[in-house]
Amino acid sequence: MKRRLGGTTTVDPSVLEALEAALGAGSAAEIVAAFLADSPARMERMRTLAARGAANPLGREAHALAGSAATLGLTALAAGARALEAAMEAAPPDLPPLLSPLEEAAAVALAWLQQRIPLPAPPAAHLPGNARRACSFACPSDTG
Amino acid sequence: MALAPEGGPAVRLLVVDDEAVPRLIVARAAETLGIATDGVATLTEAVARVKAVDYDVVVLDLALREHDGIELLRHLREAGSQAVLVFVSGFDERVRQAAARLAGALGLTVAGTLGKPLLVEPLVALLRALPERGHSKPEGREADIDPAELEAGIDADQISCLFQPKVTLRERRLVGVEALMRWQSPRLGVVLPDQFIPLAERAALIDRLTDRLIAEALTQFRPWRSLRPDLTIAINLSPVSLTDLSLPERVSAMLAETRLPASALVLEVTEGAVMEDYVAAADILTRLRIRGIRLSIDDFGTGHSSLLSLLRLPFSELKIDQRFVRSCMQDPEAAKIIRALISLAWELGLQVVAEGIETEPVAELLDRLGCMVGQGYLFGPPVSHTGIAERLQQAAWAEGIS
């Protein structure tokens, strides 16, 4: 299922692993689920903006996507979004064709995420305990 | 979207980011530290939240889709928020630093800035090390000062003026002085402007303070003009003064009282000040300029709307921020920016003053880059009236015999 586009790595699994290690598998799954849930609407927004020739707002969408994709280790998608963001600065005339490489990268990335984290776990039943234990910052009720 | 766990821990954090991924990462990372988090995606929601809740920490994405996150800074200030800020942004470090500086100018405390992708470890490290609000603020003792104490200090003439020289970089000739306030408080000792100006702004004492500063600086400056007819005096205006429509008349009256021409006075304004209330600022600055008073844009290049301000407002001088000046020897990019700023100033017919010059090589580099006038410890720290008078007399004597 893991694929490569044009020889470049499409995903960096270690990023998601680091997220799981830092926040727990439940939180990581919740974050991935939120990204997946937002994705169809985001793509639809980007298509609409491209069709309207709205380079500036499309650039801002791409900027936001680049940040989230990179945070989840979706290397190729992040790179595609950054490229689109950069392209929008010159306000090119015909936007929809510029969106195609990004759609392709998004399809690959989302498929990988769904396979990597098949069922979005319910938000983190273990977290409250964690929160109490790890509290080191102005929690008088815990320390006192 | 309320992400706060039940139980209501003491510290409250607001994360403002239009992306769900960073919003959730901040919330979950904060939870591991026992910090309750609210997350919002838009500026409108954020403004409503900061009006309703007194947050301890605000984590802000600088690039929201419809607005830039910068706008929230003004609302935080208006709400009197003491929240510590953390900036998150996919822009480069320079943008985040500029935003941090603007926040500082608005009296807000910035704990740090994070890039994207948002990594959990640096985020947690930053949240762990947050300064407790109201205690380790960079403005230092501001929190301890009672407005009534400052007001009594103004009445008792405890506010005095120091003057820092501005010289030409090539001949090192004294061409101007910048007046700086000091408060000699019986209880606190010498208090610097950073520590009492924000308080004066909040306590509506700033107009009295500004008037006092202008009147005293002009009075002390008056005799120096006889020794050096082209000498100018620069005075900093608070952003709050730029909302006071009677300022131009008051300044004119004080100039008339000291029989000084308007062209002797330079009023320095920071970029952030201009964007606070643009219409009032433009009104006041234009009327000051029409009266012949010179206007200087201070800390240029670190704020938000520099070029637009230059385009729309009648500035006559541009001050290059000391951050560029301090790094120009090590950082070739800083030198390039200075060169570009100088060329921009030339095109617009503005005088250029470089701030924060501390070493000879920096002064020489700035001279080569085309900067005519400089200010900084190399040419002298802020000194009392006597210090400037002596310097002028020595110069007059040296010029007399040469």
Side-chain angles (χ1 to χ4, degrees):
Chain A
M1 192 65 199
K2 193 168 156 188
R3 285 203 278 156
R4 281 161 189 277
L5 276 179
T8 57
T9 315
T10 57
V11 294
D12 177 357
S14 71
V15 175
L16 207 48
E17 282 158 20
L19 205 58
E20 286 172 330
L23 298 177
S27 291
E30 183 196 3
I31 290 161
V32 167
F35 181 77
L36 288 171
D38 281 353
S39 290
R42 181 205 307 276
M43 259 320 155
E44 196 46 50
R45 268 199 315 273
M46 293 179 86
R47 281 186 213 110
T48 310
L49 291 170
R52 270 185 16 217
N56 255 327
L58 185 57
R60 285 200 292 274
E61 287 285 348
H63 180 92
L65 172 58
S68 288
T71 303
L72 298 178
L74 309 174
T75 319
L77 181 57
R82 276 196 302 274
L84 183 66
E85 183 193 0
M88 289 309 105
E89 276 174 27
D94 191 15
L95 302 188
L98 298 174
L99 208 54
S100 319
L102 190 74
E103 298 227 30
E104 208 173 304
V108 175
L110 297 188
W112 178 77
L113 278 182
Q114 272 154 350
Q115 175 238 349
R116 172 72 171 66
I117 298 178
L119 280 176
H126 63 282
L127 261 176
N130 250 356
R132 292 284 166 260
R133 262 198 319 283
C135 175
S136 67
F137 176 81
C139 279
S141 60
D142 285 346
T143 53
Chain B
M1 184 196 331
L3 298 164
E6 64 274 46
V11 179
R12 300 206 60 173
L13 180 149
L14 177 70
V15 52
V16 186
D17 198 309
D18 52 9
E19 283 288 293
V21 169
R23 219 161 49 223
L24 280 167
I25 288 181
V26 170
R28 295 295 166 256
E31 263 178 27
T32 67
L33 300 172
I35 299 172
T37 303
D38 291 336
V40 294
T42 65
L43 182 73
T44 316
E45 290 171 272
V47 170
R49 296 302 303 172
V50 301
K51 280 182 182 156
V53 180
D54 186 16
Y55 287 99
D56 303 276
V57 190
V58 174
V59 179
L60 176 62
D61 179 9
L62 291 174
L64 301 172
R65 273 184 196 78
E66 303 304 328
H67 302 269
D68 54 67
I70 294 284
E71 286 178 49
L72 186 63
L73 302 183
R74 277 206 306 282
H75 291 283
L76 280 168
R77 175 170 142 143
E78 276 162 26
S81 171
Q82 298 271 306
V84 173
L85 287 163
V86 175
F87 291 138
V88 182
S89 146
F91 296 116
D92 64 16
E93 183 60 18
R94 200 180 299 152
V95 175
R96 283 177 264 141
Q97 288 297 344
R101 196 172 162 96
L102 177 65
L106 291 169
L108 302 166
T109 306
V110 180
T113 66
L114 295 166
K116 279 192 179 174
L118 183 59
L119 300 173
V120 175
E121 263 180 46
L123 171 67
V124 169
L126 218 139
L127 292 178
R128 234 183 246 286
L130 282 178
E132 272 187 54
R133 54 185 220 157
H135 290 284
S136 50
K137 293 180 74 180
E139 302 93 295
R141 293 177 295 200
E142 194 208 315
D144 308 338
I145 306 173
D146 184 342
E149 192 179 356
L150 176 59
E151 192 169 11
I154 299 173
D155 291 338
D157 268 332
Q158 290 164 4
I159 310 288
S160 63
C161 235
L162 293 183
F163 301 90
Q164 185 168 33
K166 286 182 182 176
V167 305
T168 58
L169 289 178
R170 189 138 321 155
E171 303 84 8
R172 304 294 158 90
R173 184 169 183 273
L174 185 67
V175 290
V177 291
E178 178 176 352
L180 299 159
M181 269 191 276
R182 293 288 184 275
W183 175 20
Q184 184 70 50
S185 153
R187 185 174 73 86
L188 301 158
V190 175
V191 189
L192 297 174
D194 315 6
Q195 293 162 350
F196 65 85
I197 298 284
L199 173 72
E201 286 171 346
R202 281 198 301 275
L205 291 168
I206 194 68
D207 286 345
R208 290 184 56 196
L209 214 47
T210 303
D211 284 9
R212 180 63 65 94
L213 172 70
I214 297 178
E216 183 179 336
L218 291 181
T219 307
Q220 299 199 25
F221 173 77
R222 179 76 193 84
W224 303 337
R225 272 290 275 206
S226 336
L227 289 167
R228 177 69 54 87
D230 60 351
L231 199 71
T232 60
I233 177 143
I235 296 172
N236 290 288
L237 279 187
S238 150
V240 177
S241 297
L242 288 183
T243 57
D244 174 3
L245 294 169
S246 71
L247 183 76
E249 282 80 20
R250 298 208 317 272
V251 172
S252 283
M254 287 187 272
L255 280 167
E257 215 162 286
T258 45
R259 286 167 286 106
L260 280 164
S263 60
L265 177 62
V266 182
L267 292 176
E268 297 193 1
V269 176
T270 57
E271 294 178 51
V274 174
M275 54 177 268
E276 283 260 295
D277 177 351
Y278 177 77
V279 178
D283 177 311
I284 292 163
L285 291 174
T286 307
R287 279 159 56 219
L288 286 166
R289 188 74 192 100
I290 288 170
R291 286 158 197 259
I293 292 147
R294 298 196 209 178
L295 301 175
S296 175
I297 185 157
D298 205 357
D299 301 337
F300 188 80
T302 57
H304 178 57
S305 55
S306 336
L307 295 174
L308 212 53
S309 308
L310 274 189
L311 177 69
R312 291 177 175 169
L313 297 166
F315 285 103
S316 33
E317 180 183 284
L318 181 158
K319 287 190 97 172
I320 297 176
D321 186 74
Q322 45 184 297
R323 227 178 255 213
F324 294 123
V325 173
R326 293 229 169 95
S327 48
C328 72
M329 296 304 289
Q330 301 84 38
D331 183 349
E333 279 200 15
K336 283 181 198 161
I337 288 171
I338 292 175
R339 189 196 298 275
L341 290 179
I342 291 169
S343 131
L344 176 73
W346 273 100
E347 291 287 335
L348 295 172
L350 302 173
Q351 153 126 287
V352 186
V353 179
E355 293 177 282
I357 301 179
E358 287 174 358
T359 65
E360 198 57 56
V362 169
E364 281 163 21
L365 175 63
L366 285 162
D367 177 39
R368 279 204 302 283
L369 291 172
C371 182
M372 312 264 282
V373 178
Q375 184 178 342
Y377 273 71
L378 178 65
F379 313 122
V383 290
S384 70
H385 174 266
T386 330
I388 297 290
E390 277 169 9
R391 192 164 168 155
L392 277 170
Q393 262 143 18
Q394 278 166 12
W397 181 75
E399 279 163 22
I401 59 163
S402 66

